[in-house]
Amino acid sequence: MSVKGAVKAWNQFFFAPVSPLPIAVFRILFALLVIADLVLLSPDWLAWFGQDGWVSMATVRKLEPGVRINLFALMPAGDLWPEVLFWVFLAFALFLLMGFMTRASSIAVFICLASIQQRNPYIIHPGDTFMRVAGFFLMFAPAGAAFSLDRLIRIRRGREGPEIAPRSPWAQRMIQFELAFAYLTACWWKTMGSDWVDGTAVYYVWHLDQFRRFPIPAFLQSMIAVRIESWLTMSIEFSLGVFVWFKELRYAVLLLGLLLHLSIEYSMNVPLFEWALLSAYVLFIDPDDLQRAMRWVRARFRMRAAAVPQSE
Amino acid sequence: MFAPEPMKVNGYVEALITYNDGEIHKWKFPRMEELGYTQRYFKERYRKFANEYVRMDSFAAIRPDVARRIARLNNHDPSNPPAVVLLVWYSSQIAPPGPDGSYRSTPLRANVLFTYFVKPGDLE
């Protein structure tokens, strides 16, 4: 490939307009996850982020120096403002879900998300970090171009027709890269230790009481099974980092990733981590396939709705 | 997650609070294995905080804040306030698997992570 060809392919990949349906669906999933996170955090909100919380602002500043996006650092003393932030955060997350003032809502959600992660970085897991980075790129994406109140308002005002215009996908591509890179580095990092390479890693994971969730069948805990599970985990992570970019392999790889995450969700208690990563899978789905799937779902709903009066 | 190696330890952090009159009271962070499925989902961040940060010497700087908050949470009687807070890490190593994958662990051990002498201003 010539340099000119490479530049053209780069521009095509990042900037040639594509359907914004996947990023709009991702926006909805992202907002749902943020809302779920807020619900889970709500009983302990002030314990984590309040003035007399588990870790003081002064200690966080000392341990994590430098310039940070952290609204808590600007707040006056007291617990009133941290509480206000919770409700403002929730309101903008709901706006983002509905696609109302989408750009402003995505900016507000990102700033709030970054703030709580900087206020208390000792409670966050890799799924939170993924959400923060994805939230950053979402601010630049045409996330309100479909399935949004913003679009309905634009149509009503005659500024947009029934067709959804294609948009530049560079921000979507960045989130896709973020996901693939996360898997690839997870796999790479595992090769640095001996347990994943010799296949005993999952034995230790199965026996971490603090993570345990639903019971794991005995046959999955035999040494042969443990080795297969350890190596399969690395293989799937590698595939999600590399083979997911090949159209012919994409759906098979995503299906393997889905099964991996669902099995972790079943066996381990790491709230929202699996769903955070899975939410970005939608960005790899071909917009035509996504539209077909949605037409199918809509048709099923219509059939069900039509069947209700007949059966009564 | 769990890279480059998975954790090989089961454990939990507890606090021993000594009151002015010498009485000792035990306080613990929520332990996931003792909670129901729903509560576990809500309280998981306590596991992260206690087991992955409070107990790590590289994050020892957060222990005074933690001890102060525990003292405040356990300050029920103004005439008998908490005087000393001890943070203790109880742990049991997960030994390498037997040839058939059987589970083996070491006995539970207690390590005092931190001793904090509560100052009057801490309880306000």
Side-chain angles (χ1 to χ4, degrees):
Chain A
M1 186 190 274
S2 64
V3 173
K4 206 174 165 185
V7 172
K8 196 179 167 190
W10 173 276
N11 284 335
Q12 177 78 18
F13 180 72
F14 279 102
F15 303 110
V18 298
S19 165
L21 285 189
I23 194 74
V25 176
F26 176 71
R27 181 204 84 228
I28 292 168
L29 298 175
F30 179 88
L32 283 172
L33 284 166
V34 170
I35 293 164
D37 198 21
L38 285 171
V39 169
L40 292 177
L41 282 168
S42 59
D44 299 301
W45 184 261
L46 291 178
W48 297 128
F49 311 118
Q51 182 179 270
D52 295 323
W54 283 105
V55 188
S56 68
M57 259 314 289
T59 303
V60 174
R61 273 205 197 104
K62 200 164 72 184
L63 286 170
E64 318 281 339
V67 180
R68 309 269 164 174
I69 299 174
N70 184 355
L71 293 174
F72 291 94
L74 309 172
M75 290 177 185
D79 282 337
L80 173 68
W81 287 102
E83 285 200 86
V84 168
L85 184 83
F86 174 86
W87 293 107
V88 170
F89 193 177
L90 184 62
F92 278 111
L94 286 166
F95 287 173
L96 189 64
L97 175 71
M98 296 183 286
F100 177 60
M101 302 193 300
T102 310
R103 183 83 62 198
S105 299
S106 64
I107 293 169
V109 165
F110 169 72
I111 292 171
C112 293
L113 198 55
S115 295
I116 64 168
Q117 294 188 16
Q118 298 299 342
R119 171 64 185 86
N120 193 340
Y122 312 116
I123 56 170
I124 63 173
H125 57 67
D128 294 314
T129 311
F130 176 82
M131 293 280 288
R132 189 178 74 234
V133 179
F136 174 77
F137 290 116
L138 196 63
M139 294 190 297
F140 304 99
F147 311 125
S148 66
L149 280 178
D150 286 347
R151 178 168 151 73
L152 288 179
I153 291 167
R154 286 195 296 270
I155 290 172
R156 208 165 168 178
R157 289 178 179 168
R159 281 162 45 194
E160 212 171 288
E163 288 297 309
I164 299 171
R167 308 288 174 91
S168 169
W170 74 267
Q172 175 182 334
R173 299 284 185 247
M174 295 308 289
I175 302 172
Q176 288 176 287
F177 267 116
E178 183 202 354
L179 184 70
F181 188 69
Y183 282 120
L184 207 53
T185 49
C187 176
W188 172 253
W189 208 16
K190 285 181 172 74
T191 64
M192 301 283 115
S194 59
D195 296 339
W196 289 98
V197 176
D198 71 21
T200 56
V202 170
Y203 158 82
Y204 295 103
V205 175
W206 283 159
H207 292 99
L208 287 168
D209 297 341
Q210 53 192 301
F211 284 102
R212 199 170 288 166
R213 203 163 186 208
F214 298 117
I216 301 152
F219 73 93
L220 290 176
Q221 298 187 51
S222 71
M223 215 44 228
I224 295 171
V226 158
R227 283 192 207 285
I228 292 170
E229 288 151 11
S230 300
W231 294 328
L232 203 57
T233 301
M234 290 175 76
S235 310
I236 294 173
E237 285 178 344
F238 179 80
S239 303
L240 284 160
V242 175
F243 299 134
V244 76
W245 297 106
F246 297 91
K247 202 172 178 180
E248 298 80 3
L249 301 172
R250 185 170 301 154
Y251 289 159
V253 168
L254 291 177
L255 180 64
L256 287 172
L258 175 70
L259 294 174
L260 173 71
H261 284 294
L262 290 181
S263 65
I264 299 173
E265 182 67 22
Y266 169 85
S267 56
M268 300 183 73
N269 183 56
V270 194
L272 303 184
F273 170 72
E274 315 304 328
W275 304 111
L277 295 188
L278 285 173
S279 68
Y281 280 27
V282 73
L283 298 174
F284 284 94
I285 297 175
D286 188 287
D288 291 337
D289 291 338
L290 198 58
Q291 212 147 23
R292 251 195 302 278
M294 284 186 308
R295 268 201 299 268
W296 182 83
V297 171
R298 232 175 275 156
R300 299 282 297 187
F301 268 109
R302 266 193 219 124
M303 272 168 61
R304 191 163 290 184
V308 171
Q310 284 170 11
S311 61
E312 278 173 353
Chain B
M1 284 175 79
F2 303 121
E5 309 275 8
M7 264 186 253
K8 290 174 184 166
V9 64
N10 279 312
Y12 54 93
V13 176
E14 278 189 358
L16 294 176
I17 303 133
T18 308
Y19 288 86
N20 259 3
D21 68 356
E23 186 194 335
I24 296 175
H25 174 75
K26 200 185 262 189
W27 182 92
K28 57 187 176 186
F29 282 99
R31 284 181 64 189
M32 298 305 107
E33 51 275 48
E34 293 176 352
L35 299 175
Y37 293 122
T38 313
Q39 274 303 303
R40 249 182 260 183
Y41 227 68
F42 276 90
K43 298 293 178 190
E44 209 282 333
R45 290 184 194 270
Y46 278 99
R47 183 209 61 77
K48 182 95 189 169
F49 182 66
N51 293 8
E52 295 187 26
Y53 288 97
V54 175
R55 74 133 167 144
M56 300 297 285
D57 289 338
S58 45
F59 290 93
I62 67 174
R63 290 173 187 164
D65 283 357
V66 172
R68 272 191 288 269
R69 184 168 168 85
I70 291 171
R72 280 196 299 274
L73 289 174
N74 290 278
N75 181 30
H76 309 301
D77 178 2
S79 64
N80 186 27
V84 183
V85 177
L86 241 69
L87 297 177
V88 186
W89 166 241
Y90 295 91
S91 64
S92 157
Q93 297 292 319
I94 302 172
D100 55 345
S102 55
Y103 171 59
R104 292 179 299 140
S105 65
T106 62
L108 198 67
R109 282 184 51 184
N111 286 327
V112 176
L113 296 172
F114 185 61
T115 305
Y116 185 77
F117 294 92
V118 182
K119 300 174 192 81
D122 294 337
L123 302 172
E124 287 162 13

